[in-house]
Amino acid sequence: MSYPSTRRLSVSDVSPTSAIGQAPKLDPWLAVWTRSRHEASVHQQLRAKGLEAFLPTMTRWSHWKDRRKKVEWPLFPGYCFVRLAPEEALRALTCTGVVSLVSFEGQAATIPDAEIESVRTLVESELRFDPCPFVQEGDPVEVVRGPLRGVVGRLARKGPHARLIVSVGLLGQGVTVDVDAGDVRPY
């Protein structure tokens, strides 16, 4: 009985999709909570450990008494992102400056790939962007700048000009006003 000729396959002969018809599953993205102003250090340590890490930054002007300078600031102060299986969390937690992984009910919370890629695309673009608090319609907000500074209300509409409802609950009445979306923060 003769067997057909065989040859060994090399890595280049096998595509990642050939075995089961889909790409290999990647570890999820996790958010790493860092000590204040330790984001860049944690990012470097994670990369030095061979982990895929992402620290979105933006350029801002920093002012001192004698000079001004453009510096890179974290887009999400206090956080860095790492692609890591939750059961391997210790690899991230042992970095100097890491407080913990963002988790819910004791389980590391995963971030959808699409959200990380959206932030990456925005940061790598030439578009001007500013961080803003995450608020949804109906959430209580406070005006932090402008003539309405200190006013608290509910967000009725999001967009470049947010609509704020200022109400008197006892009367079941309220008034609305348009405010700049950058002038409100969650209350």
Side-chain angles (χ1 to χ4, degrees):
M1 171 178 218
S2 74
Y3 292 100
S5 66
T6 60
R7 69 179 183 99
R8 289 184 178 236
L9 294 175
S10 69
V11 173
S12 61
D13 294 331
V14 180
S15 73
T17 60
S18 65
I20 54 174
Q22 52 185 312
K25 184 157 175 68
L26 297 172
D27 289 329
W29 283 101
L30 306 176
V32 178
W33 181 25
T34 70
R35 291 179 51 201
S36 180
R37 298 181 179 243
H38 281 72
E39 301 89 351
S41 169
V42 168
H43 178 250
Q44 290 173 346
Q45 291 176 65
L46 291 169
R47 294 189 50 136
K49 290 183 176 193
L51 299 171
E52 184 179 356
F54 175 51
L55 177 62
T57 60
M58 63 182 187
T59 304
R60 278 187 10 189
W61 282 99
S62 194
H63 303 271
W64 292 277
K65 283 184 176 180
D66 60 338
R67 67 185 187 280
R68 288 176 32 161
K69 183 180 177 185
K70 278 187 174 182
V71 293
E72 290 293 313
W73 284 90
L75 186 59
F76 305 112
Y79 297 94
C80 180
F81 304 101
V82 64
R83 190 182 286 275
L84 180 70
E87 56 272 8
E88 295 182 20
L90 194 57
R91 292 179 67 192
L93 293 171
T94 56
C95 294
T96 303
V98 169
V99 175
S100 69
L101 295 178
V102 176
S103 58
F104 297 102
E105 298 179 1
Q107 298 295 316
T110 61
I111 301 168
D113 287 358
E115 289 182 12
I116 295 292
E117 289 309 312
S118 294
V119 171
R120 189 185 308 268
T121 300
L122 177 68
V123 169
E124 291 173 354
S125 76
E126 296 297 321
L127 298 173
R128 185 181 171 330
F129 58 89
D130 292 308
C132 67
F134 181 71
V135 292
Q136 296 179 332
E137 292 176 2
D139 286 352
V141 294
E142 177 183 15
V143 179
V144 293
R145 281 186 292 281
L148 298 177
R149 182 180 182 171
V151 171
V152 176
R154 292 219 175 264
L155 186 66
R157 180 182 69 212
K158 289 173 64 173
H161 294 285
R163 177 148 295 222
L164 182 69
I165 299 174
V166 179
S167 62
V168 179
L170 182 68
L171 302 178
Q173 299 281 320
V175 294
T176 64
V177 63
D178 287 337
V179 295
D180 189 316
D183 292 345
V184 298
R185 69 171 177 84
Y187 181 69

Coordinates of all heavy atoms in Angstrom, one line a residue, residues 80-161:
C80 N -5.9 53.8 30.5 CA -5.1 53.3 29.4 C -5.8 52.0 29.0 O -6.6 51.4 29.8 CB -3.7 53.0 29.9 SG -2.6 52.3 28.6
F81 N -5.6 51.5 27.8 CA -6.3 50.3 27.3 C -5.3 49.3 26.9 O -4.3 49.6 26.4 CB -7.2 50.7 26.1 CG -8.2 51.8 26.3 CD1 -7.9 53.1 25.9 CD2 -9.4 51.5 27.0 CE1 -8.8 54.1 26.2 CE2 -10.3 52.5 27.3 CZ -10.0 53.8 26.9
V82 N -5.7 48.0 27.2 CA -4.8 46.9 26.9 C -5.6 45.7 26.4 O -6.8 45.5 26.8 CB -4.0 46.5 28.1 CG1 -4.9 46.0 29.2 CG2 -2.9 45.4 27.8
R83 N -5.1 45.1 25.4 CA -5.7 43.8 24.8 C -5.2 42.7 25.6 O -4.0 42.4 25.5 CB -5.5 43.7 23.3 CG -6.3 42.6 22.7 CD -6.0 42.4 21.2 NE -6.5 43.5 20.4 CZ -7.8 43.5 19.9 NH1 -8.6 42.6 20.2 NH2 -8.1 44.5 19.1
L84 N -6.0 42.0 26.4 CA -5.6 41.0 27.3 C -6.7 40.1 27.8 O -7.8 40.6 28.0 CB -5.0 41.8 28.6 CG -4.4 41.0 29.7 CD1 -3.1 40.3 29.3 CD2 -4.1 41.9 30.9
A85 N -6.5 38.8 27.9 CA -7.5 37.9 28.4 C -7.7 38.3 29.9 O -6.7 38.5 30.6 CB -7.0 36.5 28.2
P86 N -8.9 38.4 30.3 CA -9.2 38.7 31.7 C -8.5 37.8 32.7 O -8.0 38.3 33.8 CB -10.7 38.6 31.9 CG -11.2 38.9 30.5 CD -10.2 38.3 29.6
E87 N -8.3 36.6 32.4 CA -7.6 35.7 33.3 C -6.1 35.9 33.4 O -5.4 35.4 34.3 CB -7.8 34.2 33.0 CG -7.5 33.8 31.6 CD -8.6 34.0 30.6 OE1 -9.6 34.6 30.9 OE2 -8.4 33.5 29.4
E88 N -5.5 36.8 32.5 CA -4.1 37.2 32.6 C -4.0 38.6 33.1 O -3.0 39.2 32.9 CB -3.5 37.1 31.2 CG -3.5 35.7 30.6 CD -2.8 35.6 29.2 OE1 -2.1 36.6 28.9 OE2 -3.1 34.7 28.5
A89 N -4.9 39.0 33.9 CA -5.0 40.4 34.4 C -3.7 40.8 35.2 O -3.3 41.9 35.2 CB -6.2 40.6 35.2
L90 N -3.1 39.8 35.9 CA -2.0 40.0 36.7 C -0.8 40.7 35.9 O 0.0 41.5 36.4 CB -1.5 38.7 37.4 CG -0.5 38.9 38.5 CD1 -1.1 39.8 39.6 CD2 -0.1 37.5 39.1
R91 N -0.7 40.3 34.6 CA 0.3 40.9 33.8 C 0.2 42.5 33.7 O 1.2 43.2 33.7 CB 0.3 40.4 32.4 CG 0.7 38.9 32.3 CD 0.6 38.3 30.9 NE 1.6 38.9 30.0 CZ 1.6 38.8 28.7 NH1 0.7 38.1 28.1 NH2 2.5 39.4 28.0
A92 N -1.0 43.0 33.7 CA -1.2 44.4 33.7 C -1.2 45.0 35.1 O -0.6 46.1 35.3 CB -2.6 44.7 33.0
L93 N -1.7 44.3 36.1 CA -1.8 44.8 37.4 C -0.5 45.0 38.1 O -0.3 45.7 39.1 CB -2.7 43.9 38.3 CG -4.2 43.9 37.9 CD1 -4.9 42.8 38.6 CD2 -4.8 45.2 38.1
T94 N 0.6 44.3 37.6 CA 1.9 44.4 38.2 C 2.7 45.6 37.7 O 3.8 45.8 38.2 CB 2.7 43.1 38.0 OG1 2.8 42.8 36.6 CG2 2.1 41.9 38.7
C95 N 2.2 46.3 36.8 CA 2.8 47.5 36.3 C 2.8 48.6 37.4 O 1.7 48.9 38.0 CB 2.2 48.0 35.0 SG 2.4 46.9 33.6
T96 N 3.9 49.3 37.5 CA 3.9 50.5 38.5 C 2.9 51.6 38.0 O 3.0 51.9 36.8 CB 5.3 51.0 38.6 OG1 6.2 50.0 39.0 CG2 5.4 52.2 39.6
G97 N 2.1 52.0 38.8 CA 1.1 53.1 38.5 C -0.3 52.6 38.2 O -1.2 53.4 38.0
V98 N -0.4 51.3 38.1 CA -1.8 50.7 37.8 C -2.5 50.6 39.2 O -2.0 50.1 40.1 CB -1.7 49.3 37.2 CG1 -3.0 48.6 37.1 CG2 -1.1 49.4 35.8
V99 N -3.8 51.1 39.2 CA -4.6 51.0 40.3 C -5.4 49.7 40.3 O -5.4 48.9 41.2 CB -5.6 52.2 40.5 CG1 -6.5 52.0 41.6 CG2 -4.8 53.5 40.6
S100 N -6.1 49.5 39.1 CA -6.9 48.3 38.9 C -7.4 48.2 37.5 O -7.2 49.2 36.7 CB -8.0 48.2 39.9 OG -9.0 49.2 39.6
L101 N -8.0 47.1 37.1 CA -8.7 47.1 35.9 C -10.2 47.5 36.2 O -10.7 47.3 37.2 CB -8.7 45.6 35.3 CG -7.4 45.0 34.9 CD1 -7.6 43.6 34.4 CD2 -6.8 45.9 33.8
V102 N -10.7 48.2 35.2 CA -12.1 48.6 35.3 C -13.0 47.3 35.3 O -12.8 46.5 34.4 CB -12.6 49.6 34.2 CG1 -14.1 49.9 34.3 CG2 -11.7 50.8 34.3
S103 N -13.8 47.1 36.3 CA -14.5 45.9 36.4 C -15.9 46.1 37.0 O -16.2 47.1 37.6 CB -13.8 44.8 37.3 OG -13.6 45.3 38.6
F104 N -16.8 45.2 36.8 CA -18.2 45.2 37.3 C -18.4 43.9 38.0 O -18.2 42.8 37.4 CB -19.2 45.5 36.2 CG -19.0 46.8 35.6 CD1 -18.4 46.9 34.3 CD2 -19.4 48.0 36.2 CE1 -18.2 48.2 33.7 CE2 -19.3 49.2 35.6 CZ -18.7 49.3 34.4
E105 N -18.9 43.9 39.2 CA -19.2 42.7 40.0 C -18.0 41.8 40.0 O -18.1 40.6 39.9 CB -20.4 42.0 39.5 CG -21.7 42.9 39.6 CD -22.9 42.2 39.0 OE1 -22.8 41.1 38.6 OE2 -24.0 42.9 39.0
G106 N -16.8 42.3 40.1 CA -15.6 41.5 40.2 C -15.0 41.0 38.9 O -14.0 40.3 38.9
Q107 N -15.7 41.2 37.8 CA -15.2 40.7 36.5 C -14.7 41.9 35.7 O -15.4 42.9 35.6 CB -16.4 40.1 35.8 CG -17.0 38.9 36.5 CD -15.9 37.7 36.6 OE1 -15.2 37.4 35.6 NE2 -15.8 37.1 37.7
A108 N -13.5 41.7 35.1 CA -13.0 42.8 34.2 C -14.0 43.1 33.1 O -14.5 42.2 32.4 CB -11.6 42.3 33.6
A109 N -14.3 44.3 32.9 CA -15.2 44.8 31.9 C -14.5 44.9 30.6 O -13.4 45.5 30.5 CB -15.8 46.1 32.3
T110 N -15.0 44.3 29.5 CA -14.4 44.3 28.2 C -15.0 45.5 27.4 O -16.1 45.9 27.6 CB -14.6 43.0 27.4 OG1 -16.0 42.8 27.3 CG2 -14.0 41.8 28.2
I111 N -14.2 46.0 26.5 CA -14.6 47.1 25.6 C -14.7 46.6 24.2 O -13.8 45.9 23.7 CB -13.6 48.3 25.7 CG1 -13.4 48.7 27.2 CG2 -14.0 49.4 24.8 CD1 -12.3 49.6 27.4
P112 N -15.8 46.8 23.5 CA -15.9 46.4 22.1 C -14.8 46.9 21.2 O -14.4 48.1 21.4 CB -17.3 46.9 21.7 CG -18.0 47.2 23.0 CD -17.0 47.5 24.0
D113 N -14.3 46.0 20.4 CA -13.2 46.4 19.4 C -13.6 47.7 18.6 O -12.8 48.5 18.4 CB -12.9 45.3 18.5 CG -12.1 44.2 19.1 OD1 -11.8 44.3 20.3 OD2 -11.9 43.2 18.4
A114 N -14.9 47.8 18.3 CA -15.4 48.9 17.4 C -15.2 50.2 18.2 O -14.9 51.2 17.5 CB -16.8 48.7 17.0
E115 N -15.4 50.2 19.5 CA -15.2 51.5 20.2 C -13.8 51.9 20.3 O -13.4 53.1 20.1 CB -15.8 51.3 21.6 CG -17.3 51.3 21.7 CD -17.8 51.2 23.1 OE1 -17.1 51.4 24.1 OE2 -19.0 50.8 23.2
I116 N -12.9 51.0 20.5 CA -11.4 51.3 20.5 C -11.0 51.7 19.1 O -10.3 52.7 19.0 CB -10.6 50.1 21.0 CG1 -10.9 49.7 22.4 CG2 -9.1 50.3 20.7 CD1 -10.4 50.7 23.4
E117 N -11.4 51.0 18.1 CA -11.0 51.4 16.7 C -11.6 52.8 16.3 O -11.0 53.6 15.6 CB -11.5 50.4 15.7 CG -10.6 49.1 15.8 CD -9.1 49.4 15.8 OE1 -8.6 50.1 14.9 OE2 -8.4 48.8 16.6
S118 N -12.8 53.1 16.8 CA -13.4 54.4 16.5 C -12.5 55.5 17.2 O -12.3 56.6 16.5 CB -14.8 54.5 17.1 OG -15.6 53.6 16.3
V119 N -12.1 55.3 18.4 CA -11.3 56.3 19.1 C -9.9 56.4 18.4 O -9.4 57.5 18.2 CB -11.1 55.9 20.6 CG1 -10.1 56.8 21.3 CG2 -12.4 56.0 21.3
R120 N -9.4 55.3 18.0 CA -8.1 55.2 17.3 C -8.2 56.0 16.0 O -7.3 56.8 15.7 CB -7.6 53.8 17.1 CG -6.2 53.7 16.5 CD -5.8 52.3 16.2 NE -6.0 51.3 17.2 CZ -5.1 50.9 18.1 NH1 -3.9 51.5 18.1 NH2 -5.4 50.0 19.0
T121 N -9.2 55.8 15.2 CA -9.4 56.5 14.0 C -9.5 58.0 14.2 O -8.9 58.8 13.5 CB -10.7 56.0 13.3 OG1 -10.5 54.6 13.0 CG2 -10.9 56.7 11.9
L122 N -10.3 58.4 15.2 CA -10.4 59.8 15.5 C -9.1 60.5 15.9 O -8.7 61.5 15.4 CB -11.5 60.0 16.6 CG -11.7 61.5 17.1 CD1 -12.3 62.3 16.0 CD2 -12.5 61.5 18.3
V123 N -8.4 59.8 16.8 CA -7.1 60.3 17.3 C -6.1 60.5 16.1 O -5.3 61.4 16.1 CB -6.6 59.5 18.4 CG1 -5.1 59.8 18.8 CG2 -7.5 59.6 19.6
E124 N -6.1 59.5 15.2 CA -5.1 59.5 14.1 C -5.5 60.5 13.0 O -4.7 60.7 12.1 CB -4.9 58.1 13.6 CG -4.2 57.2 14.6 CD -4.2 55.7 14.1 OE1 -4.8 55.4 13.1 OE2 -3.5 54.9 14.9
S125 N -6.7 60.9 13.0 CA -7.2 61.9 12.0 C -6.6 63.3 12.2 O -6.1 63.5 13.3 CB -8.7 61.9 11.9 OG -9.2 62.7 13.0
E126 N -6.8 64.1 11.3 CA -6.3 65.5 11.4 C -7.5 66.4 12.0 O -7.3 67.6 12.1 CB -5.9 66.1 10.1 CG -4.7 65.3 9.5 CD -3.4 65.5 10.4 OE1 -3.2 66.6 11.0 OE2 -2.7 64.5 10.6
L127 N -8.6 65.8 12.3 CA -9.7 66.6 12.8 C -9.5 67.1 14.2 O -8.8 66.5 15.0 CB -11.0 65.7 12.8 CG -11.4 65.2 11.5 CD1 -12.6 64.2 11.7 CD2 -11.8 66.3 10.6
R128 N -10.1 68.3 14.5 CA -10.0 68.9 15.8 C -11.1 68.2 16.7 O -12.2 68.1 16.3 CB -10.2 70.4 15.8 CG -10.0 71.1 17.1 CD -10.3 72.6 16.9 NE -10.4 73.5 18.0 CZ -10.8 73.2 19.2 NH1 -11.1 72.0 19.6 NH2 -10.8 74.2 20.1
F129 N -10.7 67.8 17.9 CA -11.7 67.1 18.8 C -11.4 67.5 20.2 O -10.2 67.9 20.5 CB -11.6 65.6 18.6 CG -10.3 65.0 18.9 CD1 -9.9 64.6 20.1 CD2 -9.4 64.8 17.8 CE1 -8.7 64.0 20.4 CE2 -8.2 64.2 18.1 CZ -7.8 63.8 19.3
D130 N -12.4 67.4 21.0 CA -12.3 67.8 22.4 C -13.0 66.7 23.2 O -14.0 66.2 22.8 CB -12.9 69.1 22.8 CG -12.2 70.3 22.2 OD1 -10.9 70.3 22.4 OD2 -12.8 71.1 21.5
P131 N -12.4 66.3 24.4 CA -13.1 65.3 25.2 C -14.4 66.0 25.8 O -14.4 67.2 26.0 CB -12.1 65.0 26.3 CG -11.2 66.2 26.3 CD -11.2 66.8 25.0
C132 N -15.3 65.2 26.0 CA -16.6 65.7 26.7 C -17.1 64.6 27.6 O -16.9 63.4 27.4 CB -17.6 66.0 25.6 SG -18.2 64.7 24.7
P133 N -17.9 65.0 28.6 CA -18.5 64.0 29.4 C -19.5 63.2 28.7 O -20.1 63.7 27.8 CB -19.1 64.8 30.6 CG -19.3 66.1 30.0 CD -18.2 66.3 28.9
F134 N -19.7 61.9 29.1 CA -20.7 61.1 28.5 C -22.1 61.4 29.2 O -22.2 61.0 30.3 CB -20.4 59.6 28.5 CG -21.4 58.8 27.9 CD1 -21.5 58.7 26.5 CD2 -22.2 57.9 28.6 CE1 -22.4 57.9 25.9 CE2 -23.1 57.1 28.1 CZ -23.3 57.1 26.7
V135 N -23.0 62.1 28.5 CA -24.3 62.3 29.1 C -25.3 61.9 28.0 O -25.1 62.0 26.8 CB -24.5 63.8 29.5 CG1 -23.6 64.2 30.7 CG2 -24.3 64.7 28.3
Q136 N -26.4 61.4 28.5 CA -27.5 61.0 27.6 C -28.7 61.9 27.9 O -28.8 62.6 29.0 CB -27.9 59.6 27.9 CG -26.8 58.6 27.6 CD -27.2 57.2 27.9 OE1 -28.1 56.9 28.7 NE2 -26.7 56.2 27.2
E137 N -29.6 62.0 26.9 CA -30.8 62.8 27.1 C -31.5 62.3 28.3 O -31.7 61.1 28.5 CB -31.6 62.7 25.8 CG -31.0 63.4 24.6 CD -31.7 63.2 23.3 OE1 -32.8 62.7 23.3 OE2 -31.2 63.7 22.3
G138 N -32.0 63.2 29.1 CA -32.7 62.9 30.4 C -31.8 62.9 31.6 O -32.3 63.0 32.7
D139 N -30.4 62.9 31.4 CA -29.5 62.9 32.5 C -29.5 64.3 33.1 O -29.5 65.3 32.4 CB -28.1 62.6 32.1 CG -27.9 61.1 31.7 OD1 -28.9 60.3 32.0 OD2 -26.8 60.8 31.2
P140 N -29.3 64.4 34.5 CA -29.1 65.7 35.1 C -27.7 66.3 34.7 O -26.7 65.5 34.8 CB -29.2 65.4 36.6 CG -28.9 64.0 36.7 CD -29.3 63.3 35.4
V141 N -27.6 67.5 34.4 CA -26.4 68.2 34.0 C -26.3 69.5 34.7 O -27.3 70.1 35.2 CB -26.2 68.4 32.5 CG1 -26.1 67.0 31.8 CG2 -27.4 69.2 31.9
E142 N -25.0 70.0 34.8 CA -24.8 71.3 35.4 C -24.0 72.2 34.3 O -23.1 71.7 33.7 CB -23.9 71.2 36.6 CG -23.5 72.6 37.2 CD -22.6 72.4 38.4 OE1 -22.1 71.3 38.7 OE2 -22.5 73.4 39.2
V143 N -24.4 73.4 34.2 CA -23.7 74.3 33.3 C -22.4 74.8 34.0 O -22.5 75.2 35.2 CB -24.6 75.5 32.9 CG1 -23.8 76.5 31.9 CG2 -25.9 75.0 32.2
V144 N -21.3 74.7 33.4 CA -20.0 75.0 34.0 C -19.3 76.3 33.5 O -18.4 76.7 34.1 CB -19.0 73.8 33.9 CG1 -19.5 72.6 34.7 CG2 -18.7 73.4 32.5
R145 N -19.9 76.8 32.4 CA -19.3 78.0 31.8 C -20.4 78.9 31.3 O -21.5 78.4 30.9 CB -18.3 77.7 30.7 CG -17.0 77.3 31.1 CD -16.0 77.1 29.9 NE -16.4 76.0 29.1 CZ -16.1 74.7 29.3 NH1 -15.5 74.4 30.4 NH2 -16.5 73.8 28.5
G146 N -20.1 80.2 31.1 CA -21.1 81.1 30.5 C -22.0 81.7 31.5 O -21.9 81.5 32.8
P147 N -23.0 82.5 31.0 CA -23.9 83.2 31.9 C -24.8 82.3 32.8 O -25.3 82.8 33.8 CB -24.7 84.1 31.0 CG -24.6 83.4 29.6 CD -23.3 82.7 29.6
L148 N -24.9 81.0 32.4 CA -25.8 80.1 33.2 C -25.0 79.2 34.1 O -25.5 78.2 34.6 CB -26.6 79.3 32.2 CG -27.6 80.0 31.4 CD1 -28.3 79.0 30.4 CD2 -28.6 80.8 32.2
R149 N -23.7 79.6 34.3 CA -22.8 78.8 35.2 C -23.5 78.5 36.5 O -24.0 79.4 37.2 CB -21.5 79.5 35.4 CG -20.5 78.7 36.2 CD -19.3 79.5 36.4 NE -18.4 78.6 37.2 CZ -17.1 78.9 37.4 NH1 -16.6 80.0 36.9 NH2 -16.4 78.1 38.1
G150 N -23.5 77.2 36.9 CA -24.1 76.7 38.2 C -25.5 76.3 38.0 O -26.0 75.7 39.0
V151 N -26.1 76.5 36.9 CA -27.5 76.1 36.7 C -27.6 74.6 36.5 O -26.8 74.1 35.8 CB -28.2 76.9 35.5 CG1 -29.5 76.3 35.1 CG2 -28.3 78.3 35.8
V152 N -28.5 73.9 37.2 CA -28.7 72.5 37.1 C -30.0 72.2 36.4 O -31.0 72.9 36.7 CB -28.6 71.8 38.5 CG1 -28.9 70.3 38.4 CG2 -27.3 72.1 39.1
G153 N -30.0 71.3 35.5 CA -31.2 70.9 34.8 C -31.1 69.5 34.2 O -30.1 68.8 34.5
R154 N -32.0 69.1 33.3 CA -32.0 67.9 32.6 C -31.7 68.1 31.2 O -32.2 69.1 30.6 CB -33.3 67.1 32.7 CG -33.6 66.7 34.1 CD -34.2 65.3 34.1 NE -34.4 64.9 35.5 CZ -33.5 64.1 36.1 NH1 -32.5 63.6 35.5 NH2 -33.8 63.7 37.3
L155 N -30.8 67.3 30.6 CA -30.5 67.4 29.2 C -31.7 66.9 28.3 O -32.1 65.7 28.4 CB -29.2 66.6 28.9 CG -28.7 66.7 27.5 CD1 -28.2 68.1 27.2 CD2 -27.5 65.7 27.3
A156 N -32.2 67.7 27.5 CA -33.4 67.4 26.7 C -33.0 67.0 25.3 O -33.6 66.2 24.6 CB -34.4 68.5 26.6
R157 N -31.8 67.6 24.8 CA -31.4 67.3 23.4 C -29.9 67.4 23.4 O -29.3 68.4 24.0 CB -32.0 68.3 22.5 CG -31.6 68.0 21.0 CD -32.2 69.0 20.1 NE -31.6 70.3 20.3 CZ -32.3 71.5 20.1 NH1 -33.5 71.5 19.8 NH2 -31.7 72.6 20.4
K158 N -29.2 66.5 22.7 CA -27.8 66.6 22.5 C -27.5 67.2 21.2 O -28.4 67.2 20.3 CB -27.2 65.2 22.6 CG -27.2 64.6 24.1 CD -26.7 63.2 24.1 CE -25.3 63.0 23.7 NZ -24.8 61.7 23.9
G159 N -26.3 67.6 21.0 CA -25.9 68.1 19.7 C -25.0 69.3 20.0 O -24.6 69.6 21.1
P160 N -24.6 70.1 18.9 CA -23.8 71.3 19.1 C -24.4 72.3 20.1 O -23.7 72.9 20.9 CB -23.6 71.9 17.7 CG -24.1 70.9 16.8 CD -25.0 69.9 17.5
H161 N -25.7 72.4 20.0 CA -26.4 73.2 21.0 C -27.4 72.3 21.7 O -28.4 71.9 21.2 CB -27.2 74.3 20.3 CG -26.3 75.3 19.6 ND1 -25.6 76.3 20.3 CD2 -25.9 75.5 18.3 CE1 -24.8 77.0 19.5 NE2 -25.0 76.5 18.3

